[in-house]
Amino acid sequence: MDLLLGAVVLGVLLGCFYAAVSVGLSVSFGLLDVPHVAHPAFLVLASYGVYQLNESYDIDPLLAGLALTPLFFLFGLLAYRVYYETFERRGSDAGVRGIAFFFGIAFIIEVLIILQFGVDQRSVTATYIGKSWRFGEFRIPIRQLVAFAVALALTVLLAVYLSKTFMGRAIRAVAQDEEALRLMGANPVRIKQFAFGIATAVLGIAGALLIIVAPVEPTLDRAYIGRTFCVVVMAGLGSISGTLIAAIILGVAESIVLTLFGASWAPAISFAMLLGVLAVRPQGLLGR
Amino acid sequence: MTKHRNSIVFWAGVAIFLAAVLMMTQMVRNEYPFFAGYVILQFIALAVAWSILGGYAGYVNFGTNAFFGIGVYTAVALFKATGAPLVVQIAAAAFVGMALGFGVGLLTLRMRGIFFSIATIALAIIIETFVMNWRFVGGAAGIQIQRPPVMAPFDSYVKMLFFVQAVMVVIAVSIARYIQNSRIGRGLQALRDDELAAECTGVPTLKLKLVACMISGALISAAGAPAAMYLQYADPSSAFNLSYSVSALAMALIGGTAHWIGPVLGAILLGSTQQLLAVTISSEVNVLVLGIMLVLFVVGAPKGIIGLLRPRYRLRAGGKP
């Protein structure tokens, strides 16, 4: 019983972390409708950036992640520009080639990381990594708590930004009716580009959390394709509060299966849940 | 009349190709060309098979590795249990691949675009996880395969596999060619251009997609079946490697999917470049080249090599007069 309770607690912590790595996809795929399969690859790339900064200059991983956000913002602006010019503007056949485009980008990133860092696992050092708090029977690693707190803050901040600020509302408006926005004199493409930049910038912090929670390897993005898309689809496309709920459900499910059946089944859980959601309730928990 | 003449030219080409392959196995002493050639032939079969669903119908399947891995492990399990000969292994793999295609199709073919693509990745990982936990075929650690003695007229097993894979390329290409020219192919192209319009004009879209998914799956699994014999080894993470999915998709898109010759050209071009790079540089650089070529072609030459060679296809595949 205690074992199960511990699994649930760890699952909630893990779930908030999953929310942070998925929330950018919730904007780029959920709101902007871009088939962004390369989202997890950008995430792992951010982790390696954090690793490099931590390794060479001994910068705290969270600060390193924060330092990467402007770079990733620019990265996002550029990626959307290319996507827009080649697919959205020309219109036809955007589906097939757009998906193939991001799939190719993900693979290029993976190989570049392998060429630069090799296939071994990499991890960061910080004062809060390696220690844990003891609560009676079970222990909670402090790295998990740090990731949980930062992830929760990040997700809530982004939700507030999208619902309260002018730009945030513009982004949601462009997702709902692009034509209406154009008629009102706004430039929907620039708003979308900015939103894509934000969605990518968030990955700087999320990448730091990824490498704080556990060591990373170049092909880790493959497992996160399942996790991030599972969360975003389960949440209902574009719903930020749904993202948090869905991520916690996934975290708890993974944690319980891990405790009961062992680690060898872990990779399939998020994908199985994703298939289940797509088959049963494709519009997600809080779907439109 | 021209259609009839086309057929004669095609089958003459097939006969010449198979005769040349057979002659090569009898005359060339060095084994290396067969090692490299086998891989290129395997990629041609995969790219052509992928394009039946991905190219004609426009459903981007990321799960080539699931079908490939199922082919590998059907062969391995059958060989370990009964010692069945290669032909039986391949036939069984094709059958299992077809059954899987039917199941995958029923579950996912109602999904559009990215949802279908992600669902196929999901299936690949779920199946891989099952195989990893399956003790009989070695689990995550993999399994060694002892090749049976080679059959006449071949003097080495690799040469025989090379010939077998050449036959599979011929089968895959003739099926793809047949589909392209038949009602199935026209129906698939109609639903790719506008699924709703196709449905409204009476095209049985789901049935056609299911047929395409089953044929494509059967061919991919069959092409994967001899892989364990080729490597004398099988393990889940290489049998279900995502790079099979990227390769099949990239080769088909780079070659062009409006005509069956596209995937063949793409696979020959990229496959031989990769074999060359693998020898001279490294296997990582291979994948990098593949990825960069895929992105460049998708952005710069939407109709692939055949679109560059023959502007006619650019128009036809674009769906505009």
mmCIF file with all atom_site columns, all heavy atoms in Angstrom, chain B residues 53-74:
data_model
loop_
_atom_site.group_PDB
_atom_site.id
_atom_site.type_symbol
_atom_site.label_atom_id
_atom_site.label_alt_id
_atom_site.label_comp_id
_atom_site.label_asym_id
_atom_site.label_entity_id
_atom_site.label_seq_id
_atom_site.pdbx_PDB_ins_code
_atom_site.Cartn_x
_atom_site.Cartn_y
_atom_site.Cartn_z
_atom_site.occupancy
_atom_site.B_iso_or_equiv
_atom_site.pdbx_formal_charge
_atom_site.auth_seq_id
_atom_site.auth_comp_id
_atom_site.auth_asym_id
_atom_site.auth_atom_id
_atom_site.pdbx_PDB_model_num
ATOM 1   N N   . LEU B 1 53 ? 1.108  2.952   -49.512 1.00 0.00 ? 53 LEU B N   1
ATOM 2   C CA  . LEU B 1 53 ? 0.204  3.681   -48.623 1.00 0.00 ? 53 LEU B CA  1
ATOM 3   C C   . LEU B 1 53 ? 0.610  5.156   -48.519 1.00 0.00 ? 53 LEU B C   1
ATOM 4   O O   . LEU B 1 53 ? -0.214 6.054   -48.630 1.00 0.00 ? 53 LEU B O   1
ATOM 5   C CB  . LEU B 1 53 ? 0.215  3.045   -47.226 1.00 0.00 ? 53 LEU B CB  1
ATOM 6   C CG  . LEU B 1 53 ? -0.771 3.651   -46.240 1.00 0.00 ? 53 LEU B CG  1
ATOM 7   C CD1 . LEU B 1 53 ? -2.203 3.371   -46.653 1.00 0.00 ? 53 LEU B CD1 1
ATOM 8   C CD2 . LEU B 1 53 ? -0.533 3.114   -44.830 1.00 0.00 ? 53 LEU B CD2 1
ATOM 9   N N   . GLY B 1 54 ? 1.927  5.387   -48.322 1.00 0.00 ? 54 GLY B N   1
ATOM 10  C CA  . GLY B 1 54 ? 2.404  6.744   -48.054 1.00 0.00 ? 54 GLY B CA  1
ATOM 11  C C   . GLY B 1 54 ? 2.359  7.644   -49.277 1.00 0.00 ? 54 GLY B C   1
ATOM 12  O O   . GLY B 1 54 ? 2.018  8.815   -49.188 1.00 0.00 ? 54 GLY B O   1
ATOM 13  N N   . GLY B 1 55 ? 2.698  7.087   -50.438 1.00 0.00 ? 55 GLY B N   1
ATOM 14  C CA  . GLY B 1 55 ? 2.760  7.903   -51.638 1.00 0.00 ? 55 GLY B CA  1
ATOM 15  C C   . GLY B 1 55 ? 1.413  8.007   -52.333 1.00 0.00 ? 55 GLY B C   1
ATOM 16  O O   . GLY B 1 55 ? 0.893  9.098   -52.541 1.00 0.00 ? 55 GLY B O   1
ATOM 17  N N   . TYR B 1 56 ? 0.822  6.838   -52.660 1.00 0.00 ? 56 TYR B N   1
ATOM 18  C CA  . TYR B 1 56 ? -0.424 6.858   -53.413 1.00 0.00 ? 56 TYR B CA  1
ATOM 19  C C   . TYR B 1 56 ? -1.550 7.471   -52.584 1.00 0.00 ? 56 TYR B C   1
ATOM 20  O O   . TYR B 1 56 ? -2.351 8.257   -53.085 1.00 0.00 ? 56 TYR B O   1
ATOM 21  C CB  . TYR B 1 56 ? -0.825 5.441   -53.847 1.00 0.00 ? 56 TYR B CB  1
ATOM 22  C CG  . TYR B 1 56 ? 0.156  4.774   -54.802 1.00 0.00 ? 56 TYR B CG  1
ATOM 23  C CD1 . TYR B 1 56 ? 0.045  3.428   -55.122 1.00 0.00 ? 56 TYR B CD1 1
ATOM 24  C CD2 . TYR B 1 56 ? 1.188  5.497   -55.395 1.00 0.00 ? 56 TYR B CD2 1
ATOM 25  C CE1 . TYR B 1 56 ? 0.939  2.815   -55.997 1.00 0.00 ? 56 TYR B CE1 1
ATOM 26  C CE2 . TYR B 1 56 ? 2.077  4.892   -56.255 1.00 0.00 ? 56 TYR B CE2 1
ATOM 27  C CZ  . TYR B 1 56 ? 1.958  3.554   -56.547 1.00 0.00 ? 56 TYR B CZ  1
ATOM 28  O OH  . TYR B 1 56 ? 2.839  2.953   -57.401 1.00 0.00 ? 56 TYR B OH  1
ATOM 29  N N   . ALA B 1 57 ? -1.634 7.067   -51.284 1.00 0.00 ? 57 ALA B N   1
ATOM 30  C CA  . ALA B 1 57 ? -2.775 7.515   -50.477 1.00 0.00 ? 57 ALA B CA  1
ATOM 31  C C   . ALA B 1 57 ? -2.449 8.741   -49.628 1.00 0.00 ? 57 ALA B C   1
ATOM 32  O O   . ALA B 1 57 ? -3.342 9.377   -49.091 1.00 0.00 ? 57 ALA B O   1
ATOM 33  C CB  . ALA B 1 57 ? -3.253 6.383   -49.571 1.00 0.00 ? 57 ALA B CB  1
ATOM 34  N N   . GLY B 1 58 ? -1.147 9.081   -49.483 1.00 0.00 ? 58 GLY B N   1
ATOM 35  C CA  . GLY B 1 58 ? -0.782 10.267  -48.714 1.00 0.00 ? 58 GLY B CA  1
ATOM 36  C C   . GLY B 1 58 ? -0.879 10.089  -47.207 1.00 0.00 ? 58 GLY B C   1
ATOM 37  O O   . GLY B 1 58 ? -0.961 11.060  -46.470 1.00 0.00 ? 58 GLY B O   1
ATOM 38  N N   . TYR B 1 59 ? -0.876 8.828   -46.752 1.00 0.00 ? 59 TYR B N   1
ATOM 39  C CA  . TYR B 1 59 ? -0.848 8.573   -45.309 1.00 0.00 ? 59 TYR B CA  1
ATOM 40  C C   . TYR B 1 59 ? 0.591  8.310   -44.885 1.00 0.00 ? 59 TYR B C   1
ATOM 41  O O   . TYR B 1 59 ? 1.164  7.279   -45.255 1.00 0.00 ? 59 TYR B O   1
ATOM 42  C CB  . TYR B 1 59 ? -1.747 7.389   -44.958 1.00 0.00 ? 59 TYR B CB  1
ATOM 43  C CG  . TYR B 1 59 ? -3.192 7.796   -44.782 1.00 0.00 ? 59 TYR B CG  1
ATOM 44  C CD1 . TYR B 1 59 ? -3.968 8.189   -45.864 1.00 0.00 ? 59 TYR B CD1 1
ATOM 45  C CD2 . TYR B 1 59 ? -3.761 7.825   -43.513 1.00 0.00 ? 59 TYR B CD2 1
ATOM 46  C CE1 . TYR B 1 59 ? -5.278 8.581   -45.699 1.00 0.00 ? 59 TYR B CE1 1
ATOM 47  C CE2 . TYR B 1 59 ? -5.077 8.219   -43.332 1.00 0.00 ? 59 TYR B CE2 1
ATOM 48  C CZ  . TYR B 1 59 ? -5.826 8.598   -44.429 1.00 0.00 ? 59 TYR B CZ  1
ATOM 49  O OH  . TYR B 1 59 ? -7.118 8.996   -44.249 1.00 0.00 ? 59 TYR B OH  1
ATOM 50  N N   . VAL B 1 60 ? 1.197  9.244   -44.128 1.00 0.00 ? 60 VAL B N   1
ATOM 51  C CA  . VAL B 1 60 ? 2.620  9.137   -43.798 1.00 0.00 ? 60 VAL B CA  1
ATOM 52  C C   . VAL B 1 60 ? 2.819  8.117   -42.682 1.00 0.00 ? 60 VAL B C   1
ATOM 53  O O   . VAL B 1 60 ? 2.554  8.386   -41.515 1.00 0.00 ? 60 VAL B O   1
ATOM 54  C CB  . VAL B 1 60 ? 3.204  10.487  -43.370 1.00 0.00 ? 60 VAL B CB  1
ATOM 55  C CG1 . VAL B 1 60 ? 4.689  10.350  -43.117 1.00 0.00 ? 60 VAL B CG1 1
ATOM 56  C CG2 . VAL B 1 60 ? 2.952  11.520  -44.441 1.00 0.00 ? 60 VAL B CG2 1
ATOM 57  N N   . ASN B 1 61 ? 3.280  6.940   -43.065 1.00 0.00 ? 61 ASN B N   1
ATOM 58  C CA  . ASN B 1 61 ? 3.485  5.854   -42.120 1.00 0.00 ? 61 ASN B CA  1
ATOM 59  C C   . ASN B 1 61 ? 4.889  5.955   -41.516 1.00 0.00 ? 61 ASN B C   1
ATOM 60  O O   . ASN B 1 61 ? 5.875  5.823   -42.224 1.00 0.00 ? 61 ASN B O   1
ATOM 61  C CB  . ASN B 1 61 ? 3.300  4.538   -42.881 1.00 0.00 ? 61 ASN B CB  1
ATOM 62  C CG  . ASN B 1 61 ? 3.482  3.328   -42.015 1.00 0.00 ? 61 ASN B CG  1
ATOM 63  O OD1 . ASN B 1 61 ? 3.681  3.448   -40.803 1.00 0.00 ? 61 ASN B OD1 1
ATOM 64  N ND2 . ASN B 1 61 ? 3.416  2.165   -42.626 1.00 0.00 ? 61 ASN B ND2 1
ATOM 65  N N   . PHE B 1 62 ? 4.963  6.209   -40.198 1.00 0.00 ? 62 PHE B N   1
ATOM 66  C CA  . PHE B 1 62 ? 6.257  6.194   -39.505 1.00 0.00 ? 62 PHE B CA  1
ATOM 67  C C   . PHE B 1 62 ? 6.563  4.801   -38.964 1.00 0.00 ? 62 PHE B C   1
ATOM 68  O O   . PHE B 1 62 ? 7.562  4.601   -38.292 1.00 0.00 ? 62 PHE B O   1
ATOM 69  C CB  . PHE B 1 62 ? 6.241  7.158   -38.312 1.00 0.00 ? 62 PHE B CB  1
ATOM 70  C CG  . PHE B 1 62 ? 6.370  8.609   -38.676 1.00 0.00 ? 62 PHE B CG  1
ATOM 71  C CD1 . PHE B 1 62 ? 5.989  9.584   -37.767 1.00 0.00 ? 62 PHE B CD1 1
ATOM 72  C CD2 . PHE B 1 62 ? 6.888  9.009   -39.891 1.00 0.00 ? 62 PHE B CD2 1
ATOM 73  C CE1 . PHE B 1 62 ? 6.108  10.928  -38.078 1.00 0.00 ? 62 PHE B CE1 1
ATOM 74  C CE2 . PHE B 1 62 ? 7.008  10.352  -40.209 1.00 0.00 ? 62 PHE B CE2 1
ATOM 75  C CZ  . PHE B 1 62 ? 6.616  11.312  -39.296 1.00 0.00 ? 62 PHE B CZ  1
ATOM 76  N N   . GLY B 1 63 ? 5.664  3.857   -39.201 1.00 0.00 ? 63 GLY B N   1
ATOM 77  C CA  . GLY B 1 63 ? 5.794  2.549   -38.556 1.00 0.00 ? 63 GLY B CA  1
ATOM 78  C C   . GLY B 1 63 ? 6.416  1.487   -39.434 1.00 0.00 ? 63 GLY B C   1
ATOM 79  O O   . GLY B 1 63 ? 6.250  0.298   -39.172 1.00 0.00 ? 63 GLY B O   1
ATOM 80  N N   . THR B 1 64 ? 7.174  1.889   -40.475 1.00 0.00 ? 64 THR B N   1
ATOM 81  C CA  . THR B 1 64 ? 7.870  0.901   -41.297 1.00 0.00 ? 64 THR B CA  1
ATOM 82  C C   . THR B 1 64 ? 8.676  -0.046  -40.419 1.00 0.00 ? 64 THR B C   1
ATOM 83  O O   . THR B 1 64 ? 8.707  -1.254  -40.643 1.00 0.00 ? 64 THR B O   1
ATOM 84  C CB  . THR B 1 64 ? 8.822  1.605   -42.286 1.00 0.00 ? 64 THR B CB  1
ATOM 85  O OG1 . THR B 1 64 ? 8.075  2.560   -43.027 1.00 0.00 ? 64 THR B OG1 1
ATOM 86  C CG2 . THR B 1 64 ? 9.456  0.618   -43.231 1.00 0.00 ? 64 THR B CG2 1
ATOM 87  N N   . ASN B 1 65 ? 9.288  0.511   -39.370 1.00 0.00 ? 65 ASN B N   1
ATOM 88  C CA  . ASN B 1 65 ? 10.117 -0.330  -38.495 1.00 0.00 ? 65 ASN B CA  1
ATOM 89  C C   . ASN B 1 65 ? 9.287  -1.380  -37.766 1.00 0.00 ? 65 ASN B C   1
ATOM 90  O O   . ASN B 1 65 ? 9.785  -2.460  -37.477 1.00 0.00 ? 65 ASN B O   1
ATOM 91  C CB  . ASN B 1 65 ? 10.919 0.528   -37.512 1.00 0.00 ? 65 ASN B CB  1
ATOM 92  C CG  . ASN B 1 65 ? 10.045 1.385   -36.641 1.00 0.00 ? 65 ASN B CG  1
ATOM 93  O OD1 . ASN B 1 65 ? 8.887  1.657   -36.979 1.00 0.00 ? 65 ASN B OD1 1
ATOM 94  N ND2 . ASN B 1 65 ? 10.557 1.832   -35.515 1.00 0.00 ? 65 ASN B ND2 1
ATOM 95  N N   . ALA B 1 66 ? 8.007  -1.105  -37.479 1.00 0.00 ? 66 ALA B N   1
ATOM 96  C CA  . ALA B 1 66 ? 7.163  -2.098  -36.821 1.00 0.00 ? 66 ALA B CA  1
ATOM 97  C C   . ALA B 1 66 ? 6.969  -3.297  -37.735 1.00 0.00 ? 66 ALA B C   1
ATOM 98  O O   . ALA B 1 66 ? 7.145  -4.447  -37.333 1.00 0.00 ? 66 ALA B O   1
ATOM 99  C CB  . ALA B 1 66 ? 5.817  -1.493  -36.461 1.00 0.00 ? 66 ALA B CB  1
ATOM 100 N N   . PHE B 1 67 ? 6.634  -3.025  -39.013 1.00 0.00 ? 67 PHE B N   1
ATOM 101 C CA  . PHE B 1 67 ? 6.415  -4.113  -39.962 1.00 0.00 ? 67 PHE B CA  1
ATOM 102 C C   . PHE B 1 67 ? 7.719  -4.851  -40.242 1.00 0.00 ? 67 PHE B C   1
ATOM 103 O O   . PHE B 1 67 ? 7.753  -6.070  -40.330 1.00 0.00 ? 67 PHE B O   1
ATOM 104 C CB  . PHE B 1 67 ? 5.808  -3.569  -41.258 1.00 0.00 ? 67 PHE B CB  1
ATOM 105 C CG  . PHE B 1 67 ? 4.390  -3.110  -41.088 1.00 0.00 ? 67 PHE B CG  1
ATOM 106 C CD1 . PHE B 1 67 ? 4.100  -1.778  -40.862 1.00 0.00 ? 67 PHE B CD1 1
ATOM 107 C CD2 . PHE B 1 67 ? 3.354  -4.017  -41.131 1.00 0.00 ? 67 PHE B CD2 1
ATOM 108 C CE1 . PHE B 1 67 ? 2.791  -1.354  -40.700 1.00 0.00 ? 67 PHE B CE1 1
ATOM 109 C CE2 . PHE B 1 67 ? 2.040  -3.613  -40.959 1.00 0.00 ? 67 PHE B CE2 1
ATOM 110 C CZ  . PHE B 1 67 ? 1.761  -2.275  -40.742 1.00 0.00 ? 67 PHE B CZ  1
ATOM 111 N N   . PHE B 1 68 ? 8.806  -4.082  -40.371 1.00 0.00 ? 68 PHE B N   1
ATOM 112 C CA  . PHE B 1 68 ? 10.114 -4.704  -40.623 1.00 0.00 ? 68 PHE B CA  1
ATOM 113 C C   . PHE B 1 68 ? 10.478 -5.636  -39.463 1.00 0.00 ? 68 PHE B C   1
ATOM 114 O O   . PHE B 1 68 ? 10.839 -6.791  -39.660 1.00 0.00 ? 68 PHE B O   1
ATOM 115 C CB  . PHE B 1 68 ? 11.177 -3.607  -40.785 1.00 0.00 ? 68 PHE B CB  1
ATOM 116 C CG  . PHE B 1 68 ? 12.517 -4.122  -41.217 1.00 0.00 ? 68 PHE B CG  1
ATOM 117 C CD1 . PHE B 1 68 ? 12.814 -4.242  -42.560 1.00 0.00 ? 68 PHE B CD1 1
ATOM 118 C CD2 . PHE B 1 68 ? 13.478 -4.474  -40.287 1.00 0.00 ? 68 PHE B CD2 1
ATOM 119 C CE1 . PHE B 1 68 ? 14.050 -4.723  -42.976 1.00 0.00 ? 68 PHE B CE1 1
ATOM 120 C CE2 . PHE B 1 68 ? 14.709 -4.954  -40.688 1.00 0.00 ? 68 PHE B CE2 1
ATOM 121 C CZ  . PHE B 1 68 ? 14.999 -5.068  -42.033 1.00 0.00 ? 68 PHE B CZ  1
ATOM 122 N N   . GLY B 1 69 ? 10.363 -5.113  -38.246 1.00 0.00 ? 69 GLY B N   1
ATOM 123 C CA  . GLY B 1 69 ? 10.714 -5.895  -37.063 1.00 0.00 ? 69 GLY B CA  1
ATOM 124 C C   . GLY B 1 69 ? 9.834  -7.129  -36.915 1.00 0.00 ? 69 GLY B C   1
ATOM 125 O O   . GLY B 1 69 ? 10.308 -8.209  -36.549 1.00 0.00 ? 69 GLY B O   1
ATOM 126 N N   . ILE B 1 70 ? 8.543  -6.973  -37.224 1.00 0.00 ? 70 ILE B N   1
ATOM 127 C CA  . ILE B 1 70 ? 7.640  -8.125  -37.163 1.00 0.00 ? 70 ILE B CA  1
ATOM 128 C C   . ILE B 1 70 ? 8.086  -9.185  -38.164 1.00 0.00 ? 70 ILE B C   1
ATOM 129 O O   . ILE B 1 70 ? 8.065  -10.385 -37.879 1.00 0.00 ? 70 ILE B O   1
ATOM 130 C CB  . ILE B 1 70 ? 6.188  -7.667  -37.453 1.00 0.00 ? 70 ILE B CB  1
ATOM 131 C CG1 . ILE B 1 70 ? 5.565  -7.047  -36.210 1.00 0.00 ? 70 ILE B CG1 1
ATOM 132 C CG2 . ILE B 1 70 ? 5.332  -8.819  -37.942 1.00 0.00 ? 70 ILE B CG2 1
ATOM 133 C CD1 . ILE B 1 70 ? 5.272  -8.056  -35.117 1.00 0.00 ? 70 ILE B CD1 1
ATOM 134 N N   . GLY B 1 71 ? 8.533  -8.728  -39.339 1.00 0.00 ? 71 GLY B N   1
ATOM 135 C CA  . GLY B 1 71 ? 9.045  -9.665  -40.341 1.00 0.00 ? 71 GLY B CA  1
ATOM 136 C C   . GLY B 1 71 ? 10.253 -10.414 -39.811 1.00 0.00 ? 71 GLY B C   1
ATOM 137 O O   . GLY B 1 71 ? 10.330 -11.650 -39.884 1.00 0.00 ? 71 GLY B O   1
ATOM 138 N N   . VAL B 1 72 ? 11.214 -9.657  -39.233 1.00 0.00 ? 72 VAL B N   1
ATOM 139 C CA  . VAL B 1 72 ? 12.426 -10.270 -38.678 1.00 0.00 ? 72 VAL B CA  1
ATOM 140 C C   . VAL B 1 72 ? 12.046 -11.310 -37.627 1.00 0.00 ? 72 VAL B C   1
ATOM 141 O O   . VAL B 1 72 ? 12.508 -12.457 -37.663 1.00 0.00 ? 72 VAL B O   1
ATOM 142 C CB  . VAL B 1 72 ? 13.335 -9.193  -38.042 1.00 0.00 ? 72 VAL B CB  1
ATOM 143 C CG1 . VAL B 1 72 ? 14.477 -9.853  -37.288 1.00 0.00 ? 72 VAL B CG1 1
ATOM 144 C CG2 . VAL B 1 72 ? 13.862 -8.236  -39.092 1.00 0.00 ? 72 VAL B CG2 1
ATOM 145 N N   . TYR B 1 73 ? 11.161 -10.921 -36.703 1.00 0.00 ? 73 TYR B N   1
ATOM 146 C CA  . TYR B 1 73 ? 10.889 -11.810 -35.571 1.00 0.00 ? 73 TYR B CA  1
ATOM 147 C C   . TYR B 1 73 ? 9.950  -12.952 -35.916 1.00 0.00 ? 73 TYR B C   1
ATOM 148 O O   . TYR B 1 73 ? 10.007 -14.009 -35.267 1.00 0.00 ? 73 TYR B O   1
ATOM 149 C CB  . TYR B 1 73 ? 10.412 -11.005 -34.360 1.00 0.00 ? 73 TYR B CB  1
ATOM 150 C CG  . TYR B 1 73 ? 11.603 -10.565 -33.549 1.00 0.00 ? 73 TYR B CG  1
ATOM 151 C CD1 . TYR B 1 73 ? 12.182 -9.325  -33.732 1.00 0.00 ? 73 TYR B CD1 1
ATOM 152 C CD2 . TYR B 1 73 ? 12.195 -11.449 -32.659 1.00 0.00 ? 73 TYR B CD2 1
ATOM 153 C CE1 . TYR B 1 73 ? 13.304 -8.954  -33.021 1.00 0.00 ? 73 TYR B CE1 1
ATOM 154 C CE2 . TYR B 1 73 ? 13.324 -11.094 -31.949 1.00 0.00 ? 73 TYR B CE2 1
ATOM 155 C CZ  . TYR B 1 73 ? 13.875 -9.844  -32.129 1.00 0.00 ? 73 TYR B CZ  1
ATOM 156 O OH  . TYR B 1 73 ? 14.992 -9.495  -31.442 1.00 0.00 ? 73 TYR B OH  1
ATOM 157 N N   . THR B 1 74 ? 9.105  -12.792 -36.942 1.00 0.00 ? 74 THR B N   1
ATOM 158 C CA  . THR B 1 74 ? 8.322  -13.943 -37.403 1.00 0.00 ? 74 THR B CA  1
ATOM 159 C C   . THR B 1 74 ? 9.277  -15.003 -37.929 1.00 0.00 ? 74 THR B C   1
ATOM 160 O O   . THR B 1 74 ? 9.162  -16.186 -37.597 1.00 0.00 ? 74 THR B O   1
ATOM 161 C CB  . THR B 1 74 ? 7.351  -13.526 -38.526 1.00 0.00 ? 74 THR B CB  1
ATOM 162 O OG1 . THR B 1 74 ? 6.534  -12.460 -38.049 1.00 0.00 ? 74 THR B OG1 1
ATOM 163 C CG2 . THR B 1 74 ? 6.470  -14.689 -38.929 1.00 0.00 ? 74 THR B CG2 1
#
